[in-house]
C-alpha cells in the first residue's frame, strides 16, 4: 500500500510537463481569474509603468522635469557605484539562497522524525521569521557592536585576532548582513521542506535502506525527487527576496562602510527619495527588475531542466 | 525502523538543542531589554540581566494614548493582515486553479503576467497608487490598505498556488463532474480542500509580509488613525534618544499573534500537505 | 501638522495655542525622521499633506523648503512676520523668486557638546583653546577608560556635522563667502587648504583615540546615551542635544562649546534652519488659521518658550541677547558675530553632503583618502550645479 500510494504521487508531480488534456477545461471558467488579474495589473503594471516613465526624465521627485532619453541608464553603467551595487546584490542573493536552503533542508531532515523535542524545536527555529526585518536588524546591531557579545565571545575563547568592528569593516560587513538574512529566513525554508518531507512515505525510505542504500543515496534517489516542489518554491522565494534585499542593509550598515555594502535596492531608495534624483533611481530600479527577470529565468530553466533529466 | 530512538537519535537531539540555543540568542537580548527600566536600558550592557526585572514597559506601551495606543495598532494590524490574507486566498486560489486547468497560450500568458508581477519595482508605483487611493477616498482606511496589499501580493499568491494546483490529480474532479456537480461546487468542495497546504504557505508568507510591512504602512497610513504596529514602534525611536526597552516591548507584543497563528497552524499545514500528496 | 517626534517642540506650543484658542485644534502627525522627506513629498503630491508642516531651510534635503516652494506647494509668507525673522545672511534659507516661503521657529547653533560633570571629574578644562588642548584631553579621557568624543561614523549627518564644525574655523572664518565662491566656480573643495586640513584632523583625532572604539560603526542613537552616562565626554550635534542629554541623565551638567581653530580662531555655525510652512492646497480658512498660528508663534514670549523646549536659541533672541546657561562659552561668538548659517545649507544638492559623510567613514576605515573625498564632493557639486 505504501509504495503504491507513493508512485502515483511522483507521476502527478510530473504531469504538467506532459500535454494538457482537453477535458480539464470543463472544470474552470475564465472569468474566475478576473479579480486577481485586474487588481495585480492595476497595482503592478499600470502604476509601475506610470512611475517607470520617469526613468527617462531628470525629475527630482517634485516639480517640473524634462525628458532626457537614456542618459540615466548610461550613468548607471559608467559609474563604480552602480557596478559595486550589482555585485553586492548578486553576492547577497546567492549567499542567501544557498545558506537558507542548506541550513533549512538540514534542519528539516533532522527534525522530520525521531527527535523527541521536534515540535518544540520547529516552533523555536521558526521564531526569527515572524520578526520584522527592521526589528531583527536592531537586535543584531547590539550583537555586532565593537564591545558587543560577539567580540566578547571571541575574546573569551581566545580568538582575539578575529575581533573586529563588524559593521564597519570593509571585508566582513557584507557577511554580517548575510548572516542576519540567513538567520531570519532559515526557519521559513525549514517549514517548506518539512511540508515536503511529510509527503515522503517512510516505507519507501525503509525499502531503500533494506536494499542497502546509505543515508546520502537514500536522500539523493528517494527523498529529493519527492520534495522537488518544495525545492522549487524555496529557491525561487529566497532568490527573489535576496535580490531585493533592503531593510537589513539599511538598518545594519546603511550601505557602508564607504559604500561597501550598497545594493541595487538601497541605491534605488537613496537616489529616488533621499537625494531627490527620482529619474536616476527609476532607471536603476528598471535595471534591477531586468536583472531579477534574467536570473529567475535561468533559475527556472535549471530547475526544470534537471526535472526532465530525472 | 526509523522510529526507534537510537543513540544516534540522542546525539541528533542534543546537537539540535545546541543549534537552537545559538539561534535563540538574539531573542535573549530582546527579552532582557524589554524587562529593563528606561535608565538601565540606556546605561547597562545589552547582554546584562535586568537588575530588577519589570513588566512596567508592557504597561506603559499598552496604556499609550492616541497614535501611541498599541492596542489599537494591534487591532489595525490584525484587521489589515487578516483582510488581505483572506482576499488573497479567495481570489488567488481560484485564479491559480483556472490557470492550471486551462493551459494553452492564454493561461500561459496570464501565468507569466503574474510571475513578472512579483518582480516589478513597486517603489515606482507609490505615488500613482497614492493618488489613486486618495481619489477613491480610500487613503488611510483599512479597505484601502487591504486592496493595496491584495494587489501587491497577488502575483506571489498565484505563483504559490499554481505550483500546487498543477500537481493535483484530476480524478476527483472528473468523478464529481460525472455525478453532476457544478463547477463552483467542484472547486469549493474538492479542489480548495486539496489545496490546503498551499493555502497554509500563502497565509504564512503573505501574512508575515503584511504584518511586518513598515514602508508602505508608513507612506499610506501617515496621518490616519489606522496606523499599524511596525509604524507605531517608531514613536519610540527618537532623533537623539531611542527608548530601546519600549521598542523591544512592542516588538515582542507584535510577535505573539503571528507566532500563535503558526503554532495553531503548523501541524495542520504539514498534515494537509501530506494528505494532498497522497491524494 | 507634523513634527519629528512625539514631544516635538512645536507640538508642545501648539497645545498651548489650542488652549488659548479653543476653536483651533491640532492633529499632530509624527513621522520617523529618516522617512520624513519622502512621506511629506508623497503627501504633497497626493494632495493630502497637513495644513502646517515642518521643513528645513535651503535645498540640501528631501524636506528642504526651496524645492517645495519652486514646485508651488507652499503659501507665500512675504507679507507676514516671517520675513523679520531672517538676517541678511540667512534669508536665502527661505527665499525663492524674491519671496519668503517659510517661517523659522528657532535658532540652531551647531556645537561641540560636553558632559561638564564628567569633564570636571577628569580634570579637563573647558572650553578648549586650541587643537593641542583637545588632543591632550583625548589622552586624559582614554587613560580613564573613556573617550573624549563620540562619533556616529556610520551615519552621514554626524560625520558631516563633525567635519563642518572643524571646517568652520579652517574654511569659513577666513572666507565667510566660500560657498558663494564655490557656486561661481572660483574655488573647489580639493584646492581649498582648509577642507584638506579639516579632513586630515578627523583622521588624526581618530588615530589618537579621541573617538570611542569602533567609531566608524557608531550610530547617532547611541551618542546621547553614551555622553549622558559619561562613557564619552562629548560629541558634535545641534545645540538642542543638551535637552535630550538632560532628559536622559538629569544628574549631570552639560555645556555647548565651539571647536577651536588651529590658532585659536573663533567661528561657528548657527542658523534658523528649523521652519514651518503652510500648505498651498489647504482651504482658505485653514490657511488663515495657519497664518494666525505662525504669527502667534513668532511673538517673543512664545518663541522663547519654544526655544526652552527645543534646547536651541529663541528665534527672537538673535545676536546679543542673553543666552541660556549651557551656551556660556559661546556667547561671545554671537556678540562678535562670528557665525553664519550651517555651511551645507547653501550647497546645491544633498548628494554633496552625503559624499562628505560617507567619505569620512571611508577615511576612518582606510578605504579612501582625503583628496579623493574632496574631489568626489567637487564632482557631485558640478553635476548638481551644471
Amino acid at each position: 500500500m505504501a509504495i503504491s500510494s507513493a508512485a502515483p504521487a511522483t507521476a502527478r508531480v510530473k504531469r504538467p510537463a506532459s500535454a494538457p488534456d482537453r477535458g480539464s477545461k470543463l472544470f474552470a471558467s475564465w472569468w474566475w481569474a478576473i479579480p486577481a488579474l485586474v487588481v495585480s495589473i492595476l497595482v503592478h503594471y499600470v502604476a509601475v509603468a506610470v512611475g517607470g516613465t520617469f526613468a527617462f526624465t531628470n525629475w527630482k521627485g517634485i516639480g517640473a522635469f524634462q525628458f532626457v532619453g537614456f542618459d540615466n541608464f548610461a550613468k548607471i553603467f559608467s559609474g563604480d557605484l552602480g557596478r559595486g551595487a550589482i555585485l553586492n546584490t548578486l553576492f547577497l542573493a546567492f549567499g542567501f539562497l544557498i545558506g537558507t536552503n542548506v541550513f533549512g533542508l538540514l534542519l528539516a531532515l533532522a527534525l522530520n522524525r525521531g527527535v523527541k523535542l521536534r515540535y518544540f524545536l520547529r516552533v523555536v527555529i521558526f521564531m526569527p521569521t515572524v520578526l520584522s526585518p527592521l526589528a531583527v536588524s536592531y537586535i543584531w546591531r547590539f550583537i555586532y557592536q565593537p564591545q558587543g557579545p560577539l567580540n566578547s565571545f571571541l575574546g573569551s575563547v581566545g580568538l582575539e585576532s578575529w575581533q573586529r568592528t563588524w559593521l564597519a569593516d570593509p571585508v566582513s560587513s557584507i557577511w554580517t548582513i548575510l548572516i542576519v538574512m540567513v538567520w531570519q529566513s532559515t526557519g521559513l525554508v525549514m517549514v517548506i521542506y518539512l511540508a515536503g518531507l511529510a509527503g515522503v512515505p517512510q516505507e519507501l525510505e525503509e525499502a531503500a535502506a533494506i536494499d542497502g542504500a546509505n543515508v546520502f543515496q537514500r536522500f539523493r534517489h528517494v527523498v529529493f525527487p519527492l520534495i522537488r516542489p518544495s525545492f522549487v518554491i524555496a529557491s525561487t522565494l529566497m532568490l527573489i527576496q535576496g535580490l531585493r534585499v533592503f531593510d537589513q542593509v539599511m538598518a545594519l550598515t546603511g550601505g557602508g562602510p564607504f559604500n561597501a555594502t550598497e545594493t541595487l535596492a538601497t541605491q534605488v531608495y537613496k537616489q529616488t527619495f533621499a537625494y531627490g534624483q527620482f529619474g536616476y533611481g527609476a532607471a536603476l530600479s528598471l535595471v534591477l527588475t531586468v536583472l531579477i527577470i534574467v536570473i529567475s529565468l535561468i533559475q527556472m530553466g535549471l530547475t526544470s531542466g534537471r526535472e526532465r533529466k530525472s | 525502523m526509523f522510529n526507534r530512538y537510537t543513540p544516534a537519535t540522542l546525539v541528533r537531539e542534543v546537537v539540535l538543542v545546541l543549534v537552537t540555543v545559538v539561534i535563540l540568542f538574539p531573542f535573549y537580548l530582546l527579552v532582557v531589554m524589554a524587562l529593563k527600566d528606561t535608565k538601565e536600558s540606556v546605561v547597562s550592557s545589552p547582554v546584562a540581566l535586568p537588575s530588577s526585572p519589570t513588566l512596567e514597559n508592557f504597561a506603559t506601551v499598552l496604556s499609550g494614548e492616541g497614535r501611541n495606543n498599541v492596542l489599537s495598532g494591534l487591532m489595525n494590524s490584525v484587521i489589515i493582515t487578516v483582510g488581505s490574507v483572506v482576499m488573497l486566498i479567495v481570489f488567488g486560489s481560484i485564479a491559480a486553479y483556472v490557470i492550471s486547468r486551462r493551459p494553452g497560450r492564454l493561461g500561459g500568458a496570464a501565468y507569466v503576467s503574474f510571475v513578472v508581477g512579483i518582480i516589478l519595482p513597486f517603489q515606482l508605483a507609490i505615488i500613482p497608487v497614492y493618488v489613486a487611493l486618495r481619489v477613491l477616498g480610500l487613503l488611510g482606511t483599512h479597505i484601502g490598505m487591504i486592496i493595496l496589499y491584495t494587489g501587491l501580493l497577488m502575483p506571489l499568491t498565484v505563483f504559490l498556488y499554481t505550483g500546487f494546483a498543477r500537481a493535483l490529480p484530476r480524478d476527483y474532479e472528473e468523478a464529481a463532474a460525472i455525478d453532476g456537480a457544478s463547477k463552483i461546487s467542484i472547486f469549493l468542495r474538492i479542489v480548495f480542500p486539496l489545496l490546503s497546504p498551499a493555502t497554509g504557505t500563502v497565509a504564512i508568507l503573505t501574512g508575515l509580509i503584511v504584518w511586518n510591512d513598515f514602508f508602505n504602512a508608513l507612506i499610506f497610513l501617515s496621518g490616519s488613525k489606522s496606523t499599524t504596529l511596525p509604524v507605531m514602534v517608531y514613536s519610540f525611536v527618537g532623533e537623539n534618544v531611542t527608548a530601546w526597552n519600549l521598542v523591544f516591548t512592542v516588538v515582542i507584543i507584535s510577535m505573539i499573534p503571528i507566532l500563535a497563528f503558526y503554532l495553531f497552524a503548523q501541524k495542520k499545514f504539514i498534515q494537509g500537505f501530506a494528505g494532498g500528496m497522497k491524494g | 501638522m507634523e513634527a519629528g517626534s512625539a514631544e516635538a517642540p512645536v507640538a508642545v506650543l501648539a497645545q498651548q495655542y489650542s488652549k488659548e484658542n479653543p476653536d483651533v485644534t491640532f492633529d499632530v502627525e509624527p513621522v520617523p525622521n529618516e522617512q520624513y522627506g519622502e512621506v511629506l513629498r508623497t503627501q504633497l503630491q497626493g494632495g493630502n499633506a497637513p495644513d502646517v508642516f515642518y521643513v528645513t531651510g535651503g535645498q540640501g534635503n528631501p524636506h528642504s523648503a526651496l524645492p517645495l516652494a519652486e514646485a508651488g506647494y507652499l503659501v507665500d509668507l512675504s507679507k507676514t512676520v516671517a520675513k523679520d525673522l531672517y538676517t541678511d545672511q540667512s534669508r536665502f534659507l527661505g527665499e525663492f523668486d524674491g519671496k519668503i516661503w517659510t517661517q523659522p521657529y528657532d535658532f540652531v547653533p551647531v556645537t561641540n557638546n560636553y558632559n561638564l560633570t564628567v569633564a570636571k571629574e577628569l580634570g579637563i578644562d573647558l572650553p578648549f583653546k586650541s587643537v593641542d588642548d583637545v588632543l591632550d584631553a583625548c589622552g586624559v579621557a582614554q587613560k580613564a577608560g573613556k573617550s573624549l568624543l563620540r562619533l556616529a561614523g556610520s551615519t552621514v549627518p554626524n560625520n558631516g556635522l563633525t567635519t563642518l564644525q572643524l571646517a568652520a574655523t579652517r574654511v569659513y572664518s577666513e572666507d565667510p563667502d566660500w560657498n558663494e565662491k564655490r557656486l561661481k566656480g572660483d574655488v573647489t573643495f580639493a584646492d581649498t587648504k582648509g577642507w584638506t586640513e579639516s579632513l586630515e584632523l578627523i583622521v588624526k583625532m581618530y588615530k589618537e583615540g579621541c573617538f570611542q572604539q569602533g567609531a566608524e560603526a557608531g550610530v547617532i542613537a547611541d551618542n546621547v546615551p553614551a555622553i549622558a552616562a559619561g562613557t564619552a565626554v562629548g560629541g558634535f550635534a545641534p545645540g538642542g542635544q543638551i535637552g535630550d542629554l538632560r532628559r536622559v541623565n538629569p544628574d549631570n551638567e552639560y555645556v555647548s562649546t565651539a571647536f577651536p581653530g588651529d590658532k585659536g580662531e573663533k567661528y561657528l555655525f548657527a542658523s534658523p534652519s528649523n521652519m514651518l510652512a503652510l500648505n498651498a492646497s489647504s482651504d482658505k480658512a485653514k490657511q488663515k488659521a495657519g497664518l494666525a498660528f505662525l504669527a502667534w508663534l513668532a511673538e517673543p514670549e512664545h518663541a522663547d518658550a519654544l526655544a526652552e523646549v527645543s534646547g536651541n536659541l529663541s528665534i527672537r533672541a538673535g545676536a546679543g541677547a542673553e543666552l541660556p546657561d549651557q551656551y556660556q562659552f559661546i556667547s561671545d561668538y554671537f556678540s562678535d558675530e562670528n557665525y553664519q548659517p550651517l555651511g551645507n545649507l547653501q550647497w546645491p544638492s544633498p548628494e554633496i553632503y552625503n559624499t562628505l559623510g560617507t567619505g569620512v567613514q571611508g577615511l576612518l576605515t582606510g578605504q579612501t583618502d582625503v583628496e579623493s573625498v574632496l574631489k568626489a564632493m567637487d564632482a557631485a557639486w558640478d553635476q548638481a550645479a551644471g
Side-chain angles (χ1 to χ4, degrees), chain C residues 238-255:
Chain C
Q241 190 194 40
I242 301 274
D244 286 318
L245 288 167
R246 286 180 181 153
R247 271 186 285 277
V248 173
N249 184 357
D251 304 337
N252 287 355
E253 218 184 314
Y254 309 91
V255 285

Side-chain angles (χ1 to χ4, degrees), chain C residues 58-346:
Chain C
Q59 52 190 356
N61 289 299
H63 53 284
S64 288
L66 303 187
L68 302 181
E70 186 179 353
Y73 290 116
L74 308 186
V75 173
D76 179 2
L77 301 180
S78 305
K79 296 203 178 82
T80 71
V81 62
K83 64 177 185 304
D84 306 332
L85 303 176
Y86 294 97
T87 61
D88 288 344
Q89 234 182 356
S90 66
R91 185 162 298 115
F92 77 92
L93 292 171
E95 188 181 54
F96 174 76
D97 204 14
K99 293 178 185 137
I100 294 290
W101 301 92
T102 56
Q103 176 172 321
Y105 62 76
D106 63 3
F107 199 69
V108 188
V110 176
T111 49
N112 184 194
N113 302 327
Y114 287 100
N115 184 327
L116 192 60
T117 314
V118 174
K120 278 182 185 158
E121 277 168 23
L122 296 176
I124 293 172
D125 243 355
L126 291 171
F128 296 120
K129 306 236 165 20
S130 70
V131 173
D132 287 336
D133 283 0
V134 176
L135 295 175
D136 288 346
C138 291
V140 172
Q142 232 181 342
K143 258 186 220 138
K146 299 170 187 287
S147 67
L148 180 71
L149 294 165
R150 181 87 203 180
L151 178 70
S154 71
T155 62
V156 167
N158 198 236
N159 285 344
L161 217 55
T162 302
T163 316
L164 279 172
Q165 284 197 52
L166 305 190
T169 41
R170 282 161 191 79
V171 178
Y172 292 90
S173 65
E174 216 169 283
D175 196 354
D177 297 328
W178 190 89
N179 279 343
E180 262 119 61
K181 290 185 184 163
R182 181 66 189 81
L183 279 168
K184 282 185 212 138
D186 296 346
V187 291
T188 62
F189 286 104
D191 71 12
T192 303
K193 219 174 95 215
W195 281 108
T196 310
E197 287 169 0
S198 302
L199 287 179
E200 280 171 351
L201 182 55
I202 286 198
V203 177
K204 185 172 181 192
M205 288 165 68
Y206 173 75
K207 291 200 170 133
E208 301 216 350
C210 289
F211 303 117
Q212 84 278 12
Q213 191 202 336
E216 64 271 29
V219 293
I220 286 190
D222 295 341
N223 283 2
V224 163
I227 299 167
T231 53
V233 189
F236 297 88
Q241 190 194 40
I242 301 274
D244 286 318
L245 288 167
R246 286 180 181 153
R247 271 186 285 277
V248 173
N249 184 357
D251 304 337
N252 287 355
E253 218 184 314
Y254 309 91
V255 285
S256 290
T257 72
F259 195 82
D262 288 316
K263 300 180 206 77
E265 297 95 330
K266 287 184 161 188
Y267 204 75
L268 65 72
F269 290 121
S271 30
S273 48
N274 289 330
M275 307 173 159
L276 293 176
L278 298 183
N279 186 348
S281 62
S282 301
D283 59 48
K284 290 282 174 266
K286 283 185 173 162
Q287 284 187 20
K288 230 175 126 189
L291 285 168
F293 174 61
L294 289 187
W296 178 86
L297 207 55
E299 288 166 20
E301 175 195 346
H302 305 126
D304 293 353
L306 194 152
E308 201 151 301
V309 186
S310 76
N312 291 318
L313 295 172
S314 166
I315 190 69
R316 285 295 193 175
E322 200 177 320
L323 302 177
D325 245 11
Q326 72 260 31
Y327 295 116
Q328 50 182 309
F329 294 137
I330 51 171
S331 57
D332 57 328
Y333 285 67
F334 292 103
S335 48
D336 300 345
E337 299 211 11
N338 279 329
Y339 69 95
Q340 67 161 298
L342 189 62
N344 70 309
L345 293 171
Q346 215 174 348

Side-chain angles (χ1 to χ4, degrees), chain A residues 23-277:
Chain A
S24 65
K25 279 189 188 171
L26 297 170
F27 300 131
S29 305
W30 259 117
W31 62 266
W32 290 0
I34 287 175
L37 266 175
V38 167
V39 69
S40 73
I41 283 176
L42 280 181
V43 169
H44 286 279
Y45 288 85
V46 176
V48 171
V50 172
T53 322
F54 289 105
F56 304 95
T57 70
N58 62 358
W59 195 43
K60 294 195 182 309
I62 203 149
F65 59 86
Q66 289 146 358
F67 281 90
V68 296
F70 286 89
D71 284 7
N72 291 322
F73 294 92
K75 203 172 133 197
I76 293 171
F77 292 106
S78 62
D80 288 342
L81 196 51
R83 258 176 283 146
I86 290 174
L87 288 179
N88 285 336
T89 307
L90 291 177
F91 174 85
L92 287 176
F94 284 100
F96 182 59
L97 168 71
I98 295 167
T100 49
N101 274 282
V102 168
F103 291 119
L105 180 58
L106 282 176
L107 285 169
L109 288 169
L111 285 171
N112 187 30
R113 57 180 167 238
V115 175
K116 287 215 170 79
L117 289 169
R118 62 182 181 275
Y119 291 109
F120 173 72
L121 293 179
R122 281 178 196 173
V123 173
V124 170
I125 292 170
F126 185 76
M127 269 167 60
T129 309
V130 309
L131 288 172
S132 78
L134 283 172
V136 164
S137 307
Y138 283 131
I139 304 173
W140 278 86
R141 227 167 52 192
F142 282 118
I143 297 178
Y144 286 133
Q145 271 177 356
Q147 285 93 0
L150 179 57
N151 275 343
S152 4
F153 171 76
L154 290 172
S156 68
V157 296
L159 289 170
E160 281 88 356
S161 62
W162 289 29
Q163 291 175 338
R164 63 200 65 213
T165 309
W166 293 99
L167 293 174
D169 186 278
V171 180
S172 68
S173 54
I174 197 156
W175 287 92
T176 63
I177 296 169
L178 183 60
I179 288 170
V180 175
M181 291 166 67
V182 171
W183 174 80
Q184 176 159 31
S185 294
T186 294
L188 182 67
V189 172
M190 176 192 75
V191 169
I192 295 175
Y193 280 119
L194 275 175
L197 286 171
V200 178
Q202 193 176 331
E203 299 85 343
L204 207 61
E205 270 187 86
E206 285 174 348
I210 290 165
D211 289 347
N214 66 26
V215 164
F216 299 103
Q217 287 167 331
R218 289 203 304 269
F219 176 74
R220 170 98 177 66
H221 297 290
V222 180
V223 177
F224 190 73
L226 288 172
I227 60 167
R228 186 179 290 282
S230 299
F231 170 68
V232 173
I233 286 180
S235 57
T236 312
L237 279 179
M238 292 303 114
L239 186 65
I240 290 171
Q241 206 178 318
L243 287 168
R244 306 179 110 163
V245 55
F246 173 78
D247 288 328
Q248 292 91 340
V249 180
M250 282 309 272
L252 282 170
T253 66
F258 196 57
N259 306 323
T261 57
E262 209 66 76
T263 67
L264 281 170
T266 59
Q267 272 294 301
V268 168
Y269 172 75
K270 287 184 180 178
Q271 296 292 346
T272 42
F273 299 117
Y275 306 166
Q277 314 242 26

